[in-house]
């Protein structure tokens, strides 16, 4: 059997398995806290860098350094993000047909000019990603997002915030997003989107799907069973705010 096609129990190929071992040896020499992370974590960083060990090591070590400074206590608490929690803009529950957790975020409920500024928003992004990961069904590494832009206007526009969130997702939580449906998109939003788009890496771009309003339910039902689809999109699942889930 070809070493690239041989599969391990965790889904890694022989090539990935060998590169994980090499990567682990390299990163543990530079940062002993690397030992706290499992092979699946290293594999996500490897896959994000097309199995290039040097690039994956650089990316992972950067993540470790960032986490020690940005999340020194190991997690973000609700008390650190009161303004964004109050906006009630992110919900999490249900799974798609592949068993991946579904999140729904309402862009029209985000207001950047709140006390706490960009730093609180970045903490909120980390808080939500950590909650999502903690809620993932066993055997799953990725989540599906529905970004609902209904009601979005210039007062919601937050280019710095969008870029910061994008950086956190791509640089520190690689290979976590499976797919993002962007729905109820007002024309005015596209001006902001054009400013953010160049900063989205190619892997992430392929995961983003803009959905036309008239095809909303039919498009979502291709990936999500009606029993798991939020009721606001014609499904049967009631949404619960992320802080309550």
């Amino acid at each position: 059997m070809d070493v690239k096609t041989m599969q391990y129990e965790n889904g890694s190929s022989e090539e990935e398995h060998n590169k994980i071992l090499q990567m682990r040896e390299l990163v543990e020499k530079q940062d002993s806290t690397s030992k706290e992370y499992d092979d699946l974590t290293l594999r996500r960083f490897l896959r994000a860098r097309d199995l290039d060990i040097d690039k994956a090591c650089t990316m992972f070590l950067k993540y470790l350094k960032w986490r020690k400074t940005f999340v020194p206590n190991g997690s973000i608490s609700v008390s650190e993000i009161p303004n964004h929690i109050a906006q009630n803009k992110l919900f999490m529950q249900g799974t798609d047909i592949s068993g991946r957790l579904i999140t729904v975020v309402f862009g029209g409920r985000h207001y950047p000019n709140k006390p706490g500024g960009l730093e609180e928003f970045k903490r909120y992004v980390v808080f939500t990603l950590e909650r999502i990961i903690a809620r993932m069904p066993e055997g799953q590494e990725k989540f599906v997002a529905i970004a609902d832009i209904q009601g979005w206007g210039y007062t919601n526009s937050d280019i710095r915030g969008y870029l910061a969130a994008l950086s956190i997702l791509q640089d520190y939580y690689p290979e976590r997003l499976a797919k993002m449906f962007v729905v109820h998109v007002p024309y005015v939003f596209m001006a902001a989107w054009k400013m953010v788009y160049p900063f989205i890496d190619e892997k992430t771009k392929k995961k983003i799907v803009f959905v036309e309003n008239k095809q909303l339910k039919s498009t979502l039902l291709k990936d999500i069973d009606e029993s798991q689809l939020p009721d606001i999109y014609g499904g049967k699942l009631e949404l619960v705010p992320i802080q309550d889930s």
Side-chain angles (χ1 to χ4, degrees):
M1 183 181 290
D2 190 295
V3 294
K4 291 186 178 182
T5 59
M6 185 183 295
Q7 293 287 312
Y8 282 76
E9 287 187 10
N10 64 7
S12 294
S13 66
E14 178 77 8
E15 180 185 19
E16 287 178 329
H17 175 74
N18 291 334
K19 289 192 173 186
I20 289 169
L21 294 178
Q22 294 175 58
M23 180 178 172
R24 182 171 293 285
E25 183 178 1
L26 290 169
V27 295
E28 287 185 1
K29 286 180 181 178
Q30 297 188 60
D31 191 324
S32 61
T33 62
S34 300
K35 297 176 182 179
E36 300 171 12
Y37 295 86
D38 61 17
D39 287 352
L40 293 180
T41 301
L42 298 188
R43 187 178 71 181
R44 286 192 295 274
F45 282 85
L46 269 169
R47 287 179 173 177
R49 290 296 177 262
D50 297 317
L51 303 188
D52 184 307
I53 295 176
D54 289 338
K55 290 181 179 179
C57 285
T58 298
M59 185 184 191
F60 181 67
L61 291 168
K62 179 184 175 183
Y63 161 75
L64 293 180
K65 183 177 180 180
W66 165 81
R67 191 164 183 86
K68 289 171 186 174
T69 55
F70 198 78
V71 197
N73 299 320
S75 64
I76 304 290
S77 69
V78 172
S79 63
E80 296 178 77
I81 50 173
N83 297 293
H84 290 283
I85 287 291
Q87 291 176 2
N88 210 31
K89 58 193 171 189
L90 199 142
F91 299 76
M92 172 183 65
Q93 75 220 80
T95 55
D96 73 351
I97 56 176
S98 297
R100 298 174 299 206
L101 191 69
I102 300 168
T103 65
V104 182
V105 59
F106 292 96
R109 298 183 185 180
H110 173 70
Y111 293 93
N113 298 319
K114 289 282 186 178
L118 182 61
E119 287 306 305
E120 184 183 333
F121 179 62
K122 290 194 288 187
R123 290 196 297 272
Y124 177 74
V125 172
V126 173
F127 170 86
T128 57
L129 287 169
E130 293 287 336
R131 279 290 182 98
I132 290 167
I133 292 167
R135 283 283 306 278
M136 285 180 178
E138 186 175 354
Q140 295 291 342
E141 295 184 79
K142 298 185 178 186
F143 69 97
V144 172
I146 299 174
D148 194 323
I149 319 298
Q150 190 166 33
W152 188 94
Y154 287 120
T155 56
N156 306 113
S157 185
D158 186 11
I159 302 302
R160 290 174 65 223
Y162 301 154
L163 292 176
L166 182 65
S167 175
I168 290 171
L169 178 66
Q170 293 183 161
D171 298 341
Y172 307 130
Y173 295 86
E175 296 298 302
R176 285 299 194 181
L177 177 66
K179 196 169 189 178
M180 176 182 285
F181 298 97
V182 187
V183 306
H184 294 147
V185 184
Y187 180 76
V188 67
F189 173 76
M190 297 312 296
W193 177 253
K194 287 178 181 177
M195 296 179 70
V196 174
Y197 190 76
F199 296 93
I200 305 175
D201 67 33
E202 292 305 315
K203 285 179 178 287
T204 304
K205 285 177 180 176
K206 294 176 182 177
K207 300 173 183 178
I208 301 172
V209 179
F210 277 75
V211 184
E212 293 183 21
N213 289 345
K214 60 183 179 181
Q215 298 177 343
L216 179 56
K217 185 177 179 180
S218 61
T219 299
L220 294 177
L221 284 175
K222 291 177 183 177
D223 286 69
I224 306 169
D225 186 81
E226 190 175 26
S227 65
Q228 300 295 303
L229 184 66
D231 52 9
I232 59 173
Y233 305 121
K236 299 179 179 179
L237 203 64
E238 184 180 350
L239 289 175
V240 177
I242 190 169
Q243 64 270 21
D244 297 331
S245 56

